[in-house]
Amino acid sequence: MNVTPTSQHRNRQRGVSLLFAMITVVALSLAAVAMIRSVDTGTTILGNLSFKQDTLLAADEATRLAIQWLETQHKNAPESLNVTQRDQGYWAQLVPGLDPTSTSTSSSRVAIDWNNDSCRSQRGPTPAACLQTQAKSLANQITARFLIVRLCSEAGSSTVGTNQCPRPLNASSQVTSERGEINSQNPVRIGSTTMAEYYRIVVRAQGARNTVSTTETLVHF
């Protein structure tokens, strides 16, 4: 076949055009893949944030249940709070070396049994002790556990001189039946000082995709 110079020039132009077209197609394909991966990553992040928010709300609900349990004990059997109740996740005295988040590398750390397996699944060195918790099953298949520690130097009554319990500096009012009245015959003030000790409530909520939230709250009555 005879090929004229003009035909060879046209073939070269077609080859160059094909090369640029292929480069363009590859670039567009890479851009499309990058965009899809970016959207997938964004969706995953939003999903994880949603699960995280669920566990935070569950931790708040578990804290409310712990406070409710303390209020019931104060009302019905206040002396029961002077002793440790392991099966209820309640400790009547401070726990030195408490490691709520299981991140301490100290061999003297005291772990909290968040997974109900005697702390065997926790990372780090074997803890010196493993404290029991109280479990609550909440909405969205979230399990929350909490531990309550009374901030006193020892168990027993907080009125004993050797038992050091931090207390609020200022009084908070107690609810009485005389609210709204002016009664000069009653020497008791409507707002009287509360001298109750503090309680530390540690909560851990675990939800979908192993999302975990840990919160701490101080309360007094």
Side-chain angles (χ1 to χ4, degrees), residues 91-110:
W91 261 251
Q93 65 186 95
L94 284 166
V95 182
L98 187 64
D99 181 22
T101 56
S102 306
T103 55
S104 174
T105 57
S106 173
S107 58
S108 61
R109 73 185 182 104
V110 176

Side-chain angles (χ1 to χ4, degrees), residues 61-103:
E61 174 65 11
T63 302
R64 189 188 66 80
L65 294 174
I67 294 173
Q68 190 177 55
W69 182 85
L70 279 172
E71 286 180 335
T72 303
Q73 299 297 308
H74 262 286
K75 181 179 179 181
N76 300 328
E79 294 79 12
S80 66
L81 295 176
N82 295 336
V83 296
T84 295
Q85 304 176 50
R86 296 176 183 274
D87 58 333
Q88 298 295 329
Y90 174 78
W91 261 251
Q93 65 186 95
L94 284 166
V95 182
L98 187 64
D99 181 22
T101 56
S102 306
T103 55

Side-chain angles (χ1 to χ4, degrees), residues 119-131:
C119 300
R120 287 190 294 271
S121 61
Q122 294 190 13
R123 294 176 294 180
T126 302
C130 182
L131 307 187

Side-chain angles (χ1 to χ4, degrees), residues 118-154:
S118 301
C119 300
R120 287 190 294 271
S121 61
Q122 294 190 13
R123 294 176 294 180
T126 302
C130 182
L131 307 187
Q132 289 180 250
T133 57
Q134 190 175 157
K136 298 291 181 184
S137 295
L138 304 174
N140 297 333
Q141 300 181 343
I142 296 176
T143 299
R145 293 179 176 274
F146 61 79
L147 176 80
I148 304 173
V149 179
R150 188 178 68 155
L151 301 187
C152 289
S153 60
E154 59 188 52

